[in-house]
Amino acid sequence: MALRWGIVAAGAISNDFVAAVHALPAADHQVVAVAARNLDRAKQFASRHNISTSYGSYEELAGNCDIDVVYIGSIHTEHPKLCKLFFDAGKPVLCEKPLTTSLQQTLETVNLARERKLFLMEAVWSRCSPLYQTLRDEIASGTVGEVVSVEACFGYDARDAPRITQKELGGGATLDIGIYCIQFANWVFGETPQKVTSSGHLNKQGMLSFDLLLLVMSLTMLERLQSNDSQLN
C-alpha cells in the first residue's frame, strides 16, 4: 500500500518536494492532500499537482485520518508549532530544514517526537542523494586517504528570498545556507563538534550575511566551513 502524504504549506519548496514524490512509483508514494493558510493557494497547488484534497488551515489537514505522514514546507519560524500540531494528531513528520531556529526549540521538538514515538526527520535532501553514499564508500575504502579536514563553501544571491532576507522569518546565512556545509562536515566525520568558533557580518536588518565557522571535531580533525551571501549586505 502506498504511503499517503499530506503537504503543509503551498510554497516553492513544497512544490519541489511534491515534484520529487511524483517521480517515485505511485504504488509506493501518493500525495493526497495539501494545506495552506489561504484556501485559494491550496486549491491552486492541488490543481497544479493533481492532488485530490485541499485545506485552508493546517488543523484541517491534521484531522485527516487518510494521511500517513506529513511534509512541512512552511517558513522557518513556523516549524516548531506545526511539528507539535501534527505530533498531537499522531502524524509522523518530515520537516524542511532548518528544523527550528534555536537549540531550545530543537530539543523540545525532538523530545516531543520521542515521547509520542513518532518519526521526525529534518529534510536535508542531499543526505538522500546516491552521491553521498558513493562518497562515503570512497572514504571508507581509503581512496582519498585519511580525512582530517573538510572545507565547504556555499552562497548565492538571495535578495528575492524573504525567508533569508527577513529577520522575522528566521532569515540569515547560517540557518538556510550554512546548514548544508555544517551537515556535510558532520556527515563526513560521523561525529559532532567538540568546539565551535564563529565569526560573521551582520547586515542592516541585523542578520548574518556572512558566516565563517571553525569546528573542532577532535584533536586531529578540523573543519573550516564557510557560508556566505554577499548579496545580503
Side-chain angles (χ1 to χ4, degrees), residues 133-168:
Q133 186 57 54
T134 299
L135 178 59
R136 172 156 285 173
D137 292 342
E138 292 296 320
I139 293 173
S141 68
T143 301
V144 298
E146 181 185 4
V147 180
V148 297
S149 69
V150 170
E151 182 171 345
C153 181
F154 179 35
Y156 62 93
D157 187 345
R159 286 174 292 185
D160 297 325
R163 73 181 189 279
I164 300 177
T165 60
Q166 295 182 21
K167 188 175 183 179
E168 61 271 21

Side-chain angles (χ1 to χ4, degrees), residues 64-126:
N64 188 330
C65 297
D66 294 326
I67 292 174
D68 301 314
V69 59
V70 298
Y71 166 79
I72 296 177
S74 66
I75 59 174
H76 304 164
T77 52
E78 295 289 309
H79 291 175
K81 72 176 184 180
L82 288 175
C83 283
K84 183 179 186 305
L85 171 66
F86 288 97
F87 288 153
D88 287 345
K91 309 290 188 188
V93 171
L94 174 63
C95 183
E96 189 53 58
K97 56 83 187 165
L99 181 61
T100 75
T101 59
S102 74
L103 174 60
Q104 180 180 349
Q105 290 176 340
T106 297
L107 292 174
E108 290 174 352
T109 302
V110 171
N111 288 336
L112 183 58
R114 287 172 174 163
E115 290 173 8
R116 303 293 172 82
K117 301 187 185 311
L118 290 169
F119 173 86
L120 169 65
M121 178 179 175
E122 186 175 32
V124 181
W125 67 269
S126 48

Side-chain angles (χ1 to χ4, degrees), residues 4-231:
R4 300 168 297 181
W5 287 88
I7 306 301
V8 183
I13 193 67
S14 292
N15 182 82
D16 293 345
F17 177 78
V18 172
V21 172
H22 284 167
L24 300 172
D28 297 331
H29 297 272
Q30 294 181 7
V31 179
V32 299
V34 59
R37 290 174 294 179
N38 180 283
L39 181 57
D40 288 338
R41 288 197 66 193
K43 287 182 176 180
Q44 292 170 8
F45 190 97
S47 176
R48 184 163 61 250
H49 293 286
N50 195 29
I51 300 172
S52 60
T53 304
S54 54
Y55 298 111
S57 75
Y58 301 134
E59 289 76 13
E60 290 178 282
L61 181 64
N64 188 330
C65 297
D66 294 326
I67 292 174
D68 301 314
V69 59
V70 298
Y71 166 79
I72 296 177
S74 66
I75 59 174
H76 304 164
T77 52
E78 295 289 309
H79 291 175
K81 72 176 184 180
L82 288 175
C83 283
K84 183 179 186 305
L85 171 66
F86 288 97
F87 288 153
D88 287 345
K91 309 290 188 188
V93 171
L94 174 63
C95 183
E96 189 53 58
K97 56 83 187 165
L99 181 61
T100 75
T101 59
S102 74
L103 174 60
Q104 180 180 349
Q105 290 176 340
T106 297
L107 292 174
E108 290 174 352
T109 302
V110 171
N111 288 336
L112 183 58
R114 287 172 174 163
E115 290 173 8
R116 303 293 172 82
K117 301 187 185 311
L118 290 169
F119 173 86
L120 169 65
M121 178 179 175
E122 186 175 32
V124 181
W125 67 269
S126 48
R127 287 288 182 99
C128 300
S129 169
L131 180 61
Y132 265 52
Q133 186 57 54
T134 299
L135 178 59
R136 172 156 285 173
D137 292 342
E138 292 296 320
I139 293 173
S141 68
T143 301
V144 298
E146 181 185 4
V147 180
V148 297
S149 69
V150 170
E151 182 171 345
C153 181
F154 179 35
Y156 62 93
D157 187 345
R159 286 174 292 185
D160 297 325
R163 73 181 189 279
I164 300 177
T165 60
Q166 295 182 21
K167 188 175 183 179
E168 61 271 21
L169 299 183
T174 303
L175 291 177
D176 193 271
I177 303 173
I179 187 175
Y180 287 106
C181 301
I182 295 169
Q183 67 82 25
F184 176 72
N186 286 345
W187 175 85
V188 168
F189 288 117
E191 61 178 89
T192 55
Q194 296 181 10
K195 180 180 179 181
V196 178
T197 302
S198 176
S199 62
H201 176 266
L202 296 179
N203 64 12
K204 295 179 181 179
Q205 289 73 42
M207 299 180 304
L208 277 172
S209 60
F210 178 91
D211 193 15
L212 180 64
L213 300 177
L214 179 65
L215 308 185
V216 179
M217 306 303 287
S218 68
L219 293 178
T220 59
M221 296 182 181
L222 291 177
E223 307 167 349
R224 202 183 96 194
L225 310 176
Q226 181 179 353
S227 63
N228 72 86
D229 184 351
S230 60
Q231 302 299 331

